[in-house]
């Protein structure tokens, strides 16, 4: 199946993949905001420390430090587009029509669309367009597991490309994430893809060269069982 929502851009002789994520429910709801008589569109493009749905064998979290570099650089060349469409430009940070900010909750945006995009303003105002999304290039990420042992990717450094109010959220292509995991474990990408298709990426996080986790035996005293469970949480290889 082709990679439908990853854009590959040549930078310095290497290929950089642009990924897209969207916020579900009311967490990143696109909304209309009044500002001195002007109608602006805003919302949270990304929410911190909120575990995503299954992205293809792993889940993902955006760390609060993920956008620090982009903010420190002044959000260079970040744009806002309806549905990430080049033909639906809403505003840019360069022109000052797009404002970006970070708080404890996430990455928020606020854009003043041109008159030609009044139809997008109307769609948001009516509630037809309710979600927000962002596109990015990964600069740094970390891999671990959830408490349930499921592979977890934490985005710790990203270059923000654009933000968007969307009514058709991007398909969550996992290619860039799988490539990152393959690099972390020095494993062939095709092997990682195969395990992802079987939902077995957790095998990369299970030690096979040492003692396996001890199981809590039936009939153990309550305090002993609790101690065993606590030990597993603190060190999964106990």
């Amino acid at each position: 199946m082709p990679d439908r929502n990853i854009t590959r851009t040549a930078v310095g002789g290497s290929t950089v993949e642009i990924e897209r994520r969207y916020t579900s429910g009311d967490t990143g709801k696109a909304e209309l905001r009044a500002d001195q008589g002007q109608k602006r569109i805003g919302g949270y493009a990304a929410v911190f420390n909120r575990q995503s749905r299954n992205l293809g064998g792993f889940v993902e979290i955006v760390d609060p430090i993920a956008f620090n570099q982009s903010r420190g650089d002044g959000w260079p060349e970040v744009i806002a587009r309806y549905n990430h469409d080049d033909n639906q430009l809403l505003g840019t940070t360069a022109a000052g029509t797009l404002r970006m900010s970070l708080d404890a909750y996430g990455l928020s945006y606020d854009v003043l669309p041109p008159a030609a995009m009044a139809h997008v303003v109307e769609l948001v105002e009516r509630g037809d367009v309710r979600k927000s999304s962002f596109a990015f290039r990964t600069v740094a990420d970390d891999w671990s597991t959830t408490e349930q042992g499921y592979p977890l990717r934490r985005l710790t450094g990203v270059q923000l490309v654009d933000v968007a109010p969307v009514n058709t959220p991007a398909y969550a292509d996992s290619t860039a994430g799988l490539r990152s995991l393959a690099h972390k474990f020095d494993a062939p990408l095709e092997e990682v893809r195969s395990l992802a298709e079987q939902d077995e990426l957790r095998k990369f996080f299970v030690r096979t060269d040492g003692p396996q986790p001890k199981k809590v035996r039936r009939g153990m005293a309550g305090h002993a069982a609790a101690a065993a469970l606590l030990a597993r949480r603190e060190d999964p290889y106990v």
Side-chain angles (χ1 to χ4, degrees), residues 38 40 74-80 89-100 110-114:
Q38 298 176 322
R40 307 182 68 96
W75 308 108
E77 300 181 8
V78 177
I79 62 179
L89 182 64
L90 300 176
T92 67
T93 54
T97 50
L98 170 63
R99 303 183 300 211
M100 306 298 306
D110 185 275
V111 62
L112 177 63

Side-chain angles (χ1 to χ4, degrees), residues 14-145:
S14 62
T15 299
V16 179
E17 297 174 332
I18 296 179
E19 303 177 69
R20 294 176 185 169
R21 298 291 184 270
Y22 76 95
T23 49
S24 59
D26 291 332
T27 55
K29 181 179 179 181
E31 59 186 10
L32 204 63
R33 299 170 177 173
D35 182 7
Q36 298 180 351
Q38 298 176 322
K39 291 184 176 181
R40 307 182 68 96
I41 297 173
Y44 278 92
V47 178
F48 298 142
N49 292 321
R50 183 71 59 89
Q51 185 172 299
S52 73
R53 64 182 180 84
N54 190 327
L55 297 179
F58 65 94
V59 292
E60 191 175 79
I61 283 178
V62 180
D63 193 278
I65 68 173
F67 299 100
N68 283 359
Q69 183 67 49
S70 285
R71 177 178 61 179
D73 292 339
W75 308 108
E77 300 181 8
V78 177
I79 62 179
R81 298 176 293 184
Y82 173 48
N83 276 338
H84 298 286
D85 187 340
D86 284 336
N87 296 315
Q88 302 281 336
L89 182 64
L90 300 176
T92 67
T93 54
T97 50
L98 170 63
R99 303 183 300 211
M100 306 298 306
S101 62
L102 295 174
D103 58 27
Y105 187 72
L107 170 73
S108 66
Y109 69 96
D110 185 275
V111 62
L112 177 63
M117 292 292 105
H119 64 287
V120 180
V121 173
E122 182 180 4
L123 290 172
V124 174
E125 187 173 26
R126 299 196 321 175
D128 296 316
V129 175
R130 301 174 61 86
K131 295 180 173 61
S132 295
S133 176
F134 71 102
F136 63 97
R137 297 183 183 92
T138 299
V139 177
D141 58 5
D142 291 327
W143 286 90
S144 60
T145 59

